[in-house]
mmCIF file of all heavy atoms in Angstrom:
data_model
loop_
_atom_site.group_PDB
_atom_site.id
_atom_site.type_symbol
_atom_site.label_atom_id
_atom_site.label_comp_id
_atom_site.label_asym_id
_atom_site.label_seq_id
_atom_site.Cartn_x
_atom_site.Cartn_y
_atom_site.Cartn_z
ATOM 1 N N LEU Z 1 170.653 223.849 148.174
ATOM 2 C CA LEU Z 1 170.283 224.125 149.550
ATOM 3 C C LEU Z 1 171.195 223.489 150.598
ATOM 4 O O LEU Z 1 171.580 224.106 151.567
ATOM 5 C CB LEU Z 1 168.827 223.658 149.761
ATOM 6 C CG LEU Z 1 168.215 223.843 151.115
ATOM 7 C CD1 LEU Z 1 168.174 225.344 151.541
ATOM 8 C CD2 LEU Z 1 166.774 223.245 151.185
ATOM 9 N N ASP Z 2 171.471 222.211 150.410
ATOM 10 C CA ASP Z 2 172.265 221.520 151.466
ATOM 11 C C ASP Z 2 173.672 222.031 151.598
ATOM 12 O O ASP Z 2 174.344 221.779 152.588
ATOM 13 C CB ASP Z 2 172.265 220.032 151.143
ATOM 14 C CG ASP Z 2 170.828 219.399 151.281
ATOM 15 O OD1 ASP Z 2 170.007 219.961 151.968
ATOM 16 O OD2 ASP Z 2 170.628 218.326 150.670
ATOM 17 N N SER Z 3 174.095 222.742 150.610
ATOM 18 C CA SER Z 3 175.526 223.353 150.691
ATOM 19 C C SER Z 3 175.488 224.718 151.275
ATOM 20 O O SER Z 3 176.538 225.345 151.415
ATOM 21 C CB SER Z 3 176.213 223.290 149.338
ATOM 22 O OG SER Z 3 175.517 224.076 148.422
ATOM 23 N N ALA Z 4 174.331 225.238 151.526
ATOM 24 C CA ALA Z 4 174.262 226.549 152.140
ATOM 25 C C ALA Z 4 174.514 226.584 153.635
ATOM 26 O O ALA Z 4 174.276 225.564 154.241
ATOM 27 C CB ALA Z 4 172.826 227.161 151.922
ATOM 28 N N GLU Z 5 175.081 227.652 154.130
ATOM 29 C CA GLU Z 5 175.369 227.713 155.594
ATOM 30 C C GLU Z 5 174.000 227.830 156.293
ATOM 31 O O GLU Z 5 173.005 228.376 155.764
ATOM 32 C CB GLU Z 5 176.160 228.943 155.872
ATOM 33 C CG GLU Z 5 177.549 228.920 155.294
ATOM 34 C CD GLU Z 5 178.497 227.862 155.936
ATOM 35 O OE1 GLU Z 5 178.269 227.616 157.169
ATOM 36 O OE2 GLU Z 5 179.426 227.371 155.315
ATOM 37 N N GLN Z 6 173.981 227.278 157.551
ATOM 38 C CA GLN Z 6 172.836 227.487 158.338
ATOM 39 C C GLN Z 6 172.630 229.010 158.591
ATOM 40 O O GLN Z 6 173.590 229.775 158.649
ATOM 41 C CB GLN Z 6 172.977 226.762 159.663
ATOM 42 C CG GLN Z 6 172.691 225.208 159.529
ATOM 43 C CD GLN Z 6 172.474 224.563 160.847
ATOM 44 O OE1 GLN Z 6 173.209 224.725 161.755
ATOM 45 N NE2 GLN Z 6 171.343 223.928 160.941
ATOM 46 N N ALA Z 7 171.422 229.422 158.774
ATOM 47 C CA ALA Z 7 171.095 230.869 158.900
ATOM 48 C C ALA Z 7 169.984 231.112 159.936
ATOM 49 O O ALA Z 7 169.181 230.281 160.215
ATOM 50 C CB ALA Z 7 170.671 231.359 157.544
ATOM 51 N N ASP Z 8 170.015 232.333 160.468
ATOM 52 C CA ASP Z 8 169.010 232.755 161.431
ATOM 53 C C ASP Z 8 167.701 232.988 160.739
ATOM 54 O O ASP Z 8 166.628 232.761 161.313
ATOM 55 C CB ASP Z 8 169.467 234.077 162.144
ATOM 56 C CG ASP Z 8 170.659 233.917 162.966
ATOM 57 O OD1 ASP Z 8 170.818 232.778 163.668
ATOM 58 O OD2 ASP Z 8 171.524 234.843 162.969
ATOM 59 N N LEU Z 9 167.779 233.346 159.459
ATOM 60 C CA LEU Z 9 166.509 233.585 158.693
ATOM 61 C C LEU Z 9 166.717 232.877 157.337
ATOM 62 O O LEU Z 9 167.725 232.953 156.665
ATOM 63 C CB LEU Z 9 166.319 235.043 158.381
ATOM 64 C CG LEU Z 9 166.177 235.979 159.595
ATOM 65 C CD1 LEU Z 9 166.210 237.431 159.235
ATOM 66 C CD2 LEU Z 9 164.866 235.734 160.346
ATOM 67 N N VAL Z 10 165.663 232.189 156.927
ATOM 68 C CA VAL Z 10 165.609 231.514 155.568
ATOM 69 C C VAL Z 10 164.276 232.001 154.955
ATOM 70 O O VAL Z 10 163.257 231.823 155.497
ATOM 71 C CB VAL Z 10 165.645 230.021 155.669
ATOM 72 C CG1 VAL Z 10 165.450 229.387 154.280
ATOM 73 C CG2 VAL Z 10 166.958 229.502 156.254
ATOM 74 N N PHE Z 11 164.466 232.604 153.699
ATOM 75 C CA PHE Z 11 163.308 233.085 153.008
ATOM 76 C C PHE Z 11 163.098 232.260 151.727
ATOM 77 O O PHE Z 11 164.084 231.997 150.998
ATOM 78 C CB PHE Z 11 163.581 234.563 152.528
ATOM 79 C CG PHE Z 11 163.745 235.570 153.606
ATOM 80 C CD1 PHE Z 11 165.030 235.798 154.150
ATOM 81 C CD2 PHE Z 11 162.705 236.235 154.150
ATOM 82 C CE1 PHE Z 11 165.196 236.745 155.148
ATOM 83 C CE2 PHE Z 11 162.832 237.139 155.200
ATOM 84 C CZ PHE Z 11 164.150 237.401 155.677
ATOM 85 N N VAL Z 12 161.887 231.832 151.541
ATOM 86 C CA VAL Z 12 161.527 231.056 150.307
ATOM 87 C C VAL Z 12 160.615 231.874 149.481
ATOM 88 O O VAL Z 12 159.453 232.185 149.858
ATOM 89 C CB VAL Z 12 160.885 229.721 150.730
ATOM 90 C CG1 VAL Z 12 160.500 228.913 149.448
ATOM 91 C CG2 VAL Z 12 161.859 228.860 151.557
ATOM 92 N N ASP Z 13 161.019 232.236 148.285
ATOM 93 C CA ASP Z 13 160.223 233.069 147.386
ATOM 94 C C ASP Z 13 160.570 232.634 145.909
ATOM 95 O O ASP Z 13 161.259 233.389 145.219
ATOM 96 C CB ASP Z 13 160.465 234.522 147.633
ATOM 97 C CG ASP Z 13 159.485 235.464 146.955
ATOM 98 O OD1 ASP Z 13 158.493 234.936 146.406
ATOM 99 O OD2 ASP Z 13 159.749 236.675 146.833
ATOM 100 N N LEU Z 14 160.118 231.494 145.563
ATOM 101 C CA LEU Z 14 160.523 230.827 144.331
ATOM 102 C C LEU Z 14 159.341 230.786 143.329
ATOM 103 O O LEU Z 14 158.465 229.898 143.425
ATOM 104 C CB LEU Z 14 161.055 229.423 144.566
ATOM 105 C CG LEU Z 14 162.280 229.300 145.483
ATOM 106 C CD1 LEU Z 14 162.493 227.856 145.925
ATOM 107 C CD2 LEU Z 14 163.517 229.864 144.808
ATOM 108 N N TYR Z 15 159.252 231.779 142.476
ATOM 109 C CA TYR Z 15 158.147 231.812 141.507
ATOM 110 C C TYR Z 15 158.650 231.825 140.127
ATOM 111 O O TYR Z 15 159.654 232.414 139.803
ATOM 112 C CB TYR Z 15 157.281 233.085 141.778
ATOM 113 C CG TYR Z 15 156.405 232.913 142.978
ATOM 114 C CD1 TYR Z 15 156.853 233.062 144.281
ATOM 115 C CD2 TYR Z 15 155.077 232.491 142.846
ATOM 116 C CE1 TYR Z 15 156.049 232.877 145.379
ATOM 117 C CE2 TYR Z 15 154.250 232.328 143.915
ATOM 118 C CZ TYR Z 15 154.725 232.496 145.184
ATOM 119 O OH TYR Z 15 153.956 232.313 146.285
ATOM 120 N N THR Z 16 157.881 231.241 139.169
ATOM 121 C CA THR Z 16 158.093 231.298 137.709
ATOM 122 C C THR Z 16 157.010 232.195 137.136
ATOM 123 O O THR Z 16 156.226 232.785 137.819
ATOM 124 C CB THR Z 16 158.051 229.916 137.166
ATOM 125 O OG1 THR Z 16 156.710 229.421 137.169
ATOM 126 C CG2 THR Z 16 158.903 228.901 137.966
ATOM 127 N N ASP Z 17 156.944 232.230 135.778
ATOM 128 C CA ASP Z 17 155.960 232.988 135.142
ATOM 129 C C ASP Z 17 154.636 232.347 135.187
ATOM 130 O O ASP Z 17 153.571 232.951 134.771
ATOM 131 C CB ASP Z 17 156.335 233.332 133.659
ATOM 132 C CG ASP Z 17 156.635 232.064 132.877
ATOM 133 O OD1 ASP Z 17 156.785 231.024 133.493
ATOM 134 O OD2 ASP Z 17 156.743 232.106 131.644
ATOM 135 N N VAL Z 18 154.507 231.172 135.680
ATOM 136 C CA VAL Z 18 153.162 230.430 135.815
ATOM 137 C C VAL Z 18 152.816 230.250 137.282
ATOM 138 O O VAL Z 18 151.780 229.567 137.538
ATOM 139 C CB VAL Z 18 153.171 229.138 135.005
ATOM 140 C CG1 VAL Z 18 153.355 229.363 133.568
ATOM 141 C CG2 VAL Z 18 154.224 228.201 135.552
ATOM 142 N N GLY Z 19 153.499 230.759 138.226
ATOM 143 C CA GLY Z 19 153.163 230.618 139.589
ATOM 144 C C GLY Z 19 154.300 230.062 140.452
ATOM 145 O O GLY Z 19 155.465 230.086 140.113
ATOM 146 N N PRO Z 20 153.933 229.513 141.598
ATOM 147 C CA PRO Z 20 154.903 228.994 142.543
ATOM 148 C C PRO Z 20 155.709 227.813 141.915
ATOM 149 O O PRO Z 20 155.173 227.002 141.221
ATOM 150 C CB PRO Z 20 154.095 228.532 143.768
ATOM 151 C CG PRO Z 20 152.761 229.105 143.634
ATOM 152 C CD PRO Z 20 152.511 229.323 142.124
ATOM 153 N N ALA Z 21 156.990 227.806 142.190
ATOM 154 C CA ALA Z 21 157.764 226.646 141.788
ATOM 155 C C ALA Z 21 157.289 225.414 142.548
ATOM 156 O O ALA Z 21 156.791 225.513 143.655
ATOM 157 C CB ALA Z 21 159.262 226.929 142.044
ATOM 158 N N PRO Z 22 157.506 224.238 142.024
ATOM 159 C CA PRO Z 22 157.081 222.958 142.778
ATOM 160 C C PRO Z 22 157.628 222.863 144.181
ATOM 161 O O PRO Z 22 156.956 222.268 145.028
ATOM 162 C CB PRO Z 22 157.715 221.846 141.887
ATOM 163 C CG PRO Z 22 157.731 222.475 140.483
ATOM 164 C CD PRO Z 22 158.088 223.932 140.714
ATOM 165 N N ALA Z 23 158.724 223.531 144.416
ATOM 166 C CA ALA Z 23 159.373 223.473 145.758
ATOM 167 C C ALA Z 23 158.397 223.974 146.834
ATOM 168 O O ALA Z 23 158.531 223.561 148.036
ATOM 169 C CB ALA Z 23 160.656 224.183 145.816
ATOM 170 N N HIS Z 24 157.603 224.907 146.496
ATOM 171 C CA HIS Z 24 156.677 225.523 147.484
ATOM 172 C C HIS Z 24 155.722 224.470 148.068
ATOM 173 O O HIS Z 24 155.103 224.631 149.124
ATOM 174 C CB HIS Z 24 155.849 226.605 146.812
ATOM 175 C CG HIS Z 24 156.523 227.964 146.830
ATOM 176 N ND1 HIS Z 24 156.315 228.926 147.666
ATOM 177 C CD2 HIS Z 24 157.501 228.440 146.032
ATOM 178 C CE1 HIS Z 24 157.108 229.994 147.374
ATOM 179 N NE2 HIS Z 24 157.850 229.694 146.375
ATOM 180 N N LEU Z 25 155.528 223.358 147.397
ATOM 181 C CA LEU Z 25 154.545 222.358 147.871
ATOM 182 C C LEU Z 25 155.293 220.966 147.971
ATOM 183 O O LEU Z 25 154.633 219.963 148.077
ATOM 184 C CB LEU Z 25 153.370 222.188 146.963
ATOM 185 C CG LEU Z 25 152.433 223.406 147.017
ATOM 186 C CD1 LEU Z 25 151.321 223.204 145.931
ATOM 187 C CD2 LEU Z 25 151.817 223.559 148.369
ATOM 188 N N ALA Z 26 156.654 220.991 148.103
ATOM 189 C CA ALA Z 26 157.382 219.707 148.197
ATOM 190 C C ALA Z 26 157.766 219.523 149.641
ATOM 191 O O ALA Z 26 158.606 220.289 150.239
ATOM 192 C CB ALA Z 26 158.612 219.808 147.314
ATOM 193 N N TRP Z 27 157.202 218.552 150.271
ATOM 194 C CA TRP Z 27 157.406 218.246 151.668
ATOM 195 C C TRP Z 27 158.880 218.207 152.057
ATOM 196 O O TRP Z 27 159.353 218.865 152.971
ATOM 197 C CB TRP Z 27 156.710 216.890 152.032
ATOM 198 C CG TRP Z 27 156.868 216.448 153.474
ATOM 199 C CD1 TRP Z 27 157.968 216.096 154.167
ATOM 200 C CD2 TRP Z 27 155.834 216.431 154.436
ATOM 201 N NE1 TRP Z 27 157.671 215.770 155.495
ATOM 202 C CE2 TRP Z 27 156.335 215.943 155.655
ATOM 203 C CE3 TRP Z 27 154.433 216.683 154.394
ATOM 204 C CZ2 TRP Z 27 155.592 215.749 156.778
ATOM 205 C CZ3 TRP Z 27 153.700 216.434 155.538
ATOM 206 C CH2 TRP Z 27 154.253 216.027 156.757
ATOM 207 N N ARG Z 28 159.709 217.457 151.297
ATOM 208 C CA ARG Z 28 161.086 217.197 151.594
ATOM 209 C C ARG Z 28 161.905 218.548 151.495
ATOM 210 O O ARG Z 28 162.702 218.806 152.306
ATOM 211 C CB ARG Z 28 161.648 216.129 150.725
ATOM 212 C CG ARG Z 28 163.178 215.900 150.965
ATOM 213 C CD ARG Z 28 163.461 215.327 152.355
ATOM 214 N NE ARG Z 28 164.878 215.116 152.489
ATOM 215 C CZ ARG Z 28 165.537 215.419 153.611
ATOM 216 N NH1 ARG Z 28 164.902 215.908 154.632
ATOM 217 N NH2 ARG Z 28 166.855 215.192 153.674
ATOM 218 N N PHE Z 29 161.586 219.302 150.429
ATOM 219 C CA PHE Z 29 162.294 220.575 150.251
ATOM 220 C C PHE Z 29 162.024 221.485 151.413
ATOM 221 O O PHE Z 29 162.975 222.083 151.956
ATOM 222 C CB PHE Z 29 161.927 221.224 148.891
ATOM 223 C CG PHE Z 29 162.525 222.584 148.706
ATOM 224 C CD1 PHE Z 29 163.891 222.652 148.328
ATOM 225 C CD2 PHE Z 29 161.866 223.771 148.906
ATOM 226 C CE1 PHE Z 29 164.449 223.886 148.162
ATOM 227 C CE2 PHE Z 29 162.489 224.941 148.695
ATOM 228 C CZ PHE Z 29 163.767 225.056 148.343
ATOM 229 N N LEU Z 30 160.732 221.712 151.828
ATOM 230 C CA LEU Z 30 160.444 222.635 152.834
ATOM 231 C C LEU Z 30 161.010 222.117 154.224
ATOM 232 O O LEU Z 30 161.446 222.930 155.060
ATOM 233 C CB LEU Z 30 158.886 222.784 152.924
ATOM 234 C CG LEU Z 30 158.296 223.522 151.779
ATOM 235 C CD1 LEU Z 30 156.785 223.503 151.854
ATOM 236 C CD2 LEU Z 30 158.825 224.935 151.575
ATOM 237 N N GLU Z 31 161.010 220.847 154.383
ATOM 238 C CA GLU Z 31 161.651 220.222 155.567
ATOM 239 C C GLU Z 31 163.137 220.539 155.633
ATOM 240 O O GLU Z 31 163.678 220.935 156.670
ATOM 241 C CB GLU Z 31 161.388 218.795 155.542
ATOM 242 C CG GLU Z 31 161.765 217.932 156.772
ATOM 243 C CD GLU Z 31 161.435 216.513 156.701
ATOM 244 O OE1 GLU Z 31 161.899 215.829 155.669
ATOM 245 O OE2 GLU Z 31 160.787 215.966 157.532
ATOM 246 N N ARG Z 32 163.747 220.446 154.535
ATOM 247 C CA ARG Z 32 165.238 220.812 154.422
ATOM 248 C C ARG Z 32 165.475 222.355 154.622
ATOM 249 O O ARG Z 32 166.452 222.729 155.199
ATOM 250 C CB ARG Z 32 165.750 220.399 153.073
ATOM 251 C CG ARG Z 32 165.933 218.865 152.934
ATOM 252 C CD ARG Z 32 166.115 218.465 151.450
ATOM 253 N NE ARG Z 32 167.213 219.065 150.850
ATOM 254 C CZ ARG Z 32 167.139 219.530 149.585
ATOM 255 N NH1 ARG Z 32 166.106 219.336 148.805
ATOM 256 N NH2 ARG Z 32 168.209 220.070 149.092
ATOM 257 N N CYS Z 33 164.532 223.127 154.170
ATOM 258 C CA CYS Z 33 164.650 224.593 154.448
ATOM 259 C C CYS Z 33 164.634 224.835 155.946
ATOM 260 O O CYS Z 33 165.402 225.635 156.468
ATOM 261 C CB CYS Z 33 163.497 225.306 153.767
ATOM 262 S SG CYS Z 33 163.624 225.453 151.957
ATOM 263 N N GLN Z 34 163.734 224.184 156.664
ATOM 264 C CA GLN Z 34 163.626 224.342 158.077
ATOM 265 C C GLN Z 34 164.880 223.893 158.789
ATOM 266 O O GLN Z 34 165.377 224.483 159.725
ATOM 267 C CB GLN Z 34 162.388 223.661 158.633
ATOM 268 C CG GLN Z 34 162.168 224.019 160.043
ATOM 269 C CD GLN Z 34 160.895 223.294 160.677
ATOM 270 O OE1 GLN Z 34 160.602 222.178 160.243
ATOM 271 N NE2 GLN Z 34 160.134 223.970 161.527
ATOM 272 N N ALA Z 35 165.465 222.788 158.224
ATOM 273 C CA ALA Z 35 166.656 222.263 158.805
ATOM 274 C C ALA Z 35 167.887 223.090 158.576
ATOM 275 O O ALA Z 35 168.881 222.977 159.260
ATOM 276 C CB ALA Z 35 166.894 220.832 158.190
ATOM 277 N N ARG Z 36 167.777 224.063 157.672
ATOM 278 C CA ARG Z 36 168.914 224.987 157.437
ATOM 279 C C ARG Z 36 168.944 226.163 158.525
ATOM 280 O O ARG Z 36 169.869 226.952 158.587
ATOM 281 C CB ARG Z 36 168.798 225.698 156.065
ATOM 282 C CG ARG Z 36 169.122 224.882 154.855
ATOM 283 C CD ARG Z 36 170.610 224.591 154.787
ATOM 284 N NE ARG Z 36 171.020 223.328 155.437
ATOM 285 C CZ ARG Z 36 172.177 222.998 155.843
ATOM 286 N NH1 ARG Z 36 173.177 223.794 155.682
ATOM 287 N NH2 ARG Z 36 172.377 221.842 156.416
ATOM 288 N N LEU Z 37 167.929 226.222 159.314
ATOM 289 C CA LEU Z 37 167.897 227.290 160.365
ATOM 290 C C LEU Z 37 168.841 227.016 161.450
ATOM 291 O O LEU Z 37 168.922 225.918 161.990
ATOM 292 C CB LEU Z 37 166.460 227.365 160.891
ATOM 293 C CG LEU Z 37 165.398 227.868 159.954
ATOM 294 C CD1 LEU Z 37 164.014 227.740 160.614
ATOM 295 C CD2 LEU Z 37 165.625 229.319 159.613
ATOM 296 N N ALA Z 38 169.525 228.063 161.880
ATOM 297 C CA ALA Z 38 170.320 227.938 163.171
ATOM 298 C C ALA Z 38 169.361 227.958 164.260
ATOM 299 O O ALA Z 38 168.153 228.255 164.161
ATOM 300 C CB ALA Z 38 171.281 229.193 163.143
ATOM 301 N N GLU Z 39 169.864 227.678 165.446
ATOM 302 C CA GLU Z 39 169.053 227.675 166.720
ATOM 303 C C GLU Z 39 168.341 228.974 166.868
ATOM 304 O O GLU Z 39 168.947 230.100 166.758
ATOM 305 C CB GLU Z 39 169.879 227.390 167.921
ATOM 306 C CG GLU Z 39 169.084 227.217 169.221
ATOM 307 C CD GLU Z 39 169.939 226.853 170.363
ATOM 308 O OE1 GLU Z 39 171.128 226.573 170.168
ATOM 309 O OE2 GLU Z 39 169.407 226.811 171.474
#
C-alpha cells in the first residue's frame, strides 16, 4: 500500500473464501488507505 501512488479513488474489496480479510477491520490499514487519497 505505501508504495502505491496517491489516487483520486481508492477501492478496498479484500475477501477470502471465509469472508473479509483482516484488513477490513484493521484501524491502521484503513487509516493508511485514506492517506493514499489525493486531495
Side-chain angles (χ1 to χ4, degrees):
L1 179 60
D2 293 338
S3 62
E5 295 291 332
Q6 284 198 303
D8 296 321
L9 300 170
V10 175
F11 299 90
V12 178
D13 192 8
L14 300 168
Y15 283 82
T16 70
D17 55 347
V18 295
H24 276 258
L25 291 175
W27 180 293
R28 178 63 183 141
F29 177 77
L30 294 174
E31 187 176 52
R32 288 163 56 219
C33 288
Q34 190 180 33
R36 285 291 91 198
L37 292 171
E39 185 176 353

